[in-house]
Amino acid sequence: MTAATITARQSFTETTARATVTAQERKIAFSFRNVTKRFGDKTVLQGVDLDVHDGQFVAVIGKSGCGKSTLLRLLAGLDKPTSGELVHADETKDQKRTRIMFQEPRLLPWARVGANVDVGLTGIAKGVEVRKKSLDILAEVGLADRSEEWPSVLSGGQRQRVALARALVGHPSILALDEPLGALDALTRIEMQQLLERIWLSKKFTAVLVTHDVAEAVALADRVVVIDSGRIALDLPIPVERPRRHASPELAFFERQILDQLYKQKTP
Amino acid sequence: MSRALQSIGRSAIGWLLPALLLVGWEIASRAGVISANVLPAPSAVGAAFWKLLLSGELLENIRISTLRALSGFAVGGAIGFGLGLANGLSALSRGLTDTTIQMIRNIPHLALIPLVILWFGIDEEAKLFLVALGVFFPIYINTLLGIQGVDPQLVEMGRIYGMSRSQLFVRVILPGALPSIFVGLRYALGIMWLTLIVAETISASSGLGYMAMQAREFLLIDVVVLSILIYALLGKLADTLARYLERLCLQWHPAFQNA
Ligand SMILES: Nc1ncnc2c1ncn2[C@@H]1O[C@H](COP(=O)(O)OP(=O)(O)O)[C@@H](O)[C@H]1O
Ligand SMILES: [Mg+2]
């Protein structure tokens, strides 16, 4: 049996296990309740209602400027809703345990890779434990031997992996990703998508991924949310088994539906 | 091995021109092309150096001048750095003091010399005051600019990861401002020597500038040239130290990585 088939089988069993758990408990990770956000007299989000289950992978899609980043910033507690509320399953713990990853890696250029990952443990761990955890998570993103390098010598994809390691090292329950792969080339991007899926399968956090790439959304997410004019225009489950194959006819079917919604064409 | 030799060769090449100039100067002096009471031969300057070194006069004057330079630098630099930090971090502090500081900045500090002599005579305070004032502005402005230029996205990142105010300062803001602070430091070191030379030449009873002025009165042109050279060397030394420190602190900076 090849290594690929082994991983394939493992993630297959994990997915089925996950599906049963979600079906039984369906514990909510967070809910937006009638959330509205205005900047001055510009309404960016209007009465958004969204319940996301624990461990779910949600992709958020919408045209540029439709309020996707605003939604994530609200989720991460970086902004407050103008009206409505955002409820976390475990208020005190989860608010802290929401991590956000941006399109730019935002690494400290003056800290080595390992020390950048340490930042993710601020207020969570101390001393030798910090370094051990950082090295462990760096190994998981495939950068075990780079912890003593400066970020400036890494490639774009590697920097984004360091940012991912930093976001995950503190075991967040929610990971918000704001177009984290948007600046990468197509091949690195597919690699990163696979890495992200693998880590999500093993760590079981709730993932909210903002992307402008419809193929990426259907390849990764359990559920795709389309935002238009400040409202949720489409909320589409993607019940496709993992591992998924890029550009398979099954995924293409869902991709079509999302594109139709985005460009307002009726599906015949 | 050959790499080490290459790097030595590369730094040696910079000394080629000064060495040639020196040799040419000596030859021209000996041939009488340059008159000895316009510019003495390098060998004459060397002899003056040796004589003053043996008498202890030279080292004593260097010591006094260096002490003045450093204490003025410490006072002006500390105040400039402190105010730069305060104004970079607090809008209230900036609103309160920045306009005033920018107004004072428009007065060339050397223009204050007559006033400073009236206030302090030719005592040490006069030199300390002038050097401190001269050093203050480049340090203040570059510290302020450095802090204002720190990437707000990094600051936001630090907040997201729960850094306290002091952690944010030590891990994000200060290192981010450091390249700019070093620019200010090196600029301030230049101003430090310049101010001291002027101040010692005009009003002092010891130090290198005083030594040069004394020599001028007795027409000892070799000592005058020697003082000028030593000023240049001290300036260069200070700059080299600052560059070394910069290289040490900014290892992460791509500009310092290929060297
Ligand atoms: N802090 C802010 N102040 C004013 N307007 C903002 C602010 N943040 C976002 N906006 C506006 O809100 C709209 C949505 O922005 P954003 O959520 O970043 O969109 P995107 O979907 O492209 O991520 C944009 O028109 C943007 O100009
Ligand atoms: Mg955005």
Side-chain angles (χ1 to χ4, degrees), chain A residues 125-202:
Chain A
K126 275 203 167 77
V128 272
E129 201 193 343
V130 169
R131 199 19 75 87
K132 194 192 163 303
K133 286 185 179 199
S134 296
L135 286 177
D136 286 350
I137 192 86
L138 272 174
E140 279 190 64
V141 300
L143 292 174
D145 52 344
R146 308 304 291 269
S147 78
E148 288 307 309
E149 309 244 30
W150 298 114
S152 60
V153 306
L154 301 183
S155 70
Q158 290 170 330
R159 282 180 214 174
Q160 220 36 322
R161 279 194 267 164
V162 177
L164 180 64
R166 177 181 64 192
L168 292 175
V169 71
H171 294 290
S173 47
I174 301 172
L175 179 62
L177 304 120
D178 195 354
E179 307 195 25
L181 314 183
L184 304 179
D185 64 89
L187 295 181
T188 314
R189 201 163 161 145
I190 291 178
E191 240 172 63
M192 285 291 287
Q193 289 169 4
Q194 290 166 346
L195 175 73
L196 195 59
E197 185 181 40
R198 183 162 53 73
I199 290 187
W200 169 72
L201 284 170
S202 72

Side-chain angles (χ1 to χ4, degrees), chain A residues 73-122:
Chain A
R73 294 178 63 85
L74 292 175
L75 173 61
L78 296 177
D79 269 325
K80 295 275 162 271
T82 312
S83 69
E85 58 175 349
L86 172 62
V87 187
H88 282 270
D90 182 344
E91 194 62 46
T92 49
K93 197 172 122 231
D94 276 1
Q95 197 92 75
K96 250 195 205 149
R97 287 251 165 137
T98 304
R99 292 296 195 217
I100 185 165
M101 216 181 127
F102 300 93
Q103 179 162 356
E104 332 75 49
R106 301 199 185 186
L107 302 179
L108 299 173
W110 43 84
R112 294 185 193 267
V113 166
N116 262 295
V117 178
D118 293 350
V119 170
L121 290 168
T122 309

Side-chain angles (χ1 to χ4, degrees), chain B residues 54-91:
Chain B
L54 287 185
S55 73
E57 203 181 323
L58 184 63
L59 286 183
E60 177 61 10
N61 281 324
I62 290 180
R63 192 187 65 80
I64 291 174
S65 289
T66 307
L67 206 65
R68 279 176 187 152
L70 291 184
S71 45
F73 182 87
V75 172
I79 299 176
F81 183 63
L83 263 176
L85 285 186
N87 288 2
L89 296 172
S90 144

Side-chain angles (χ1 to χ4, degrees), chain A:
Chain A
M1 208 169 2
T2 64
T5 23
I6 297 175
T7 358
R9 290 206 169 194
Q10 272 172 349
S11 48
F12 178 74
T13 30
E14 252 171 325
T15 322
T16 19
R18 178 193 295 271
T20 4
V21 170
T22 350
Q24 280 168 2
E25 298 181 8
R26 299 189 76 78
K27 191 172 154 267
I28 301 276
F30 65 87
S31 317
F32 281 75
R33 300 221 178 115
N34 198 19
V35 167
T36 296
K37 179 69 184 176
R38 281 189 210 98
F39 291 109
D41 53 6
K42 185 175 161 64
T43 306
V44 178
L45 294 176
Q46 176 115 49
V48 170
D49 278 303
L50 181 69
D51 288 340
V52 172
H53 297 134
D54 223 6
Q56 201 168 34
F57 198 130
V58 184
V60 179
I61 283 201
K63 290 177 188 154
S64 177
C66 72
K68 305 180 296 289
S69 297
T70 306
L71 188 85
L72 279 202
R73 294 178 63 85
L74 292 175
L75 173 61
L78 296 177
D79 269 325
K80 295 275 162 271
T82 312
S83 69
E85 58 175 349
L86 172 62
V87 187
H88 282 270
D90 182 344
E91 194 62 46
T92 49
K93 197 172 122 231
D94 276 1
Q95 197 92 75
K96 250 195 205 149
R97 287 251 165 137
T98 304
R99 292 296 195 217
I100 185 165
M101 216 181 127
F102 300 93
Q103 179 162 356
E104 332 75 49
R106 301 199 185 186
L107 302 179
L108 299 173
W110 43 84
R112 294 185 193 267
V113 166
N116 262 295
V117 178
D118 293 350
V119 170
L121 290 168
T122 309
I124 295 177
K126 275 203 167 77
V128 272
E129 201 193 343
V130 169
R131 199 19 75 87
K132 194 192 163 303
K133 286 185 179 199
S134 296
L135 286 177
D136 286 350
I137 192 86
L138 272 174
E140 279 190 64
V141 300
L143 292 174
D145 52 344
R146 308 304 291 269
S147 78
E148 288 307 309
E149 309 244 30
W150 298 114
S152 60
V153 306
L154 301 183
S155 70
Q158 290 170 330
R159 282 180 214 174
Q160 220 36 322
R161 279 194 267 164
V162 177
L164 180 64
R166 177 181 64 192
L168 292 175
V169 71
H171 294 290
S173 47
I174 301 172
L175 179 62
L177 304 120
D178 195 354
E179 307 195 25
L181 314 183
L184 304 179
D185 64 89
L187 295 181
T188 314
R189 201 163 161 145
I190 291 178
E191 240 172 63
M192 285 291 287
Q193 289 169 4
Q194 290 166 346
L195 175 73
L196 195 59
E197 185 181 40
R198 183 162 53 73
I199 290 187
W200 169 72
L201 284 170
S202 72
K203 306 244 170 215
K204 304 180 167 53
F205 49 85
T206 310
V208 184
L209 169 73
V210 164
T211 174
H212 53 239
D213 180 347
V214 182
E216 179 172 293
V218 295
L220 287 173
D222 296 325
R223 173 182 177 194
V224 176
V225 170
V226 178
I227 298 189
D228 192 12
S229 321
R231 296 168 195 278
I232 294 183
L234 178 70
D235 189 343
L236 185 69
I238 314 284
V240 179
E241 295 289 5
R242 293 168 199 272
R244 296 174 178 172
R245 280 195 50 231
H246 253 271
S248 69
E250 228 178 338
L251 292 182
F253 168 74
F254 293 104
E255 222 173 294
R256 185 75 254 154
Q257 274 183 280
I258 294 164
L259 286 170
D260 286 348
Q261 172 62 44
L262 280 169
Y263 297 104
K264 293 286 182 307
Q265 285 162 355
K266 288 278 165 285
T267 337

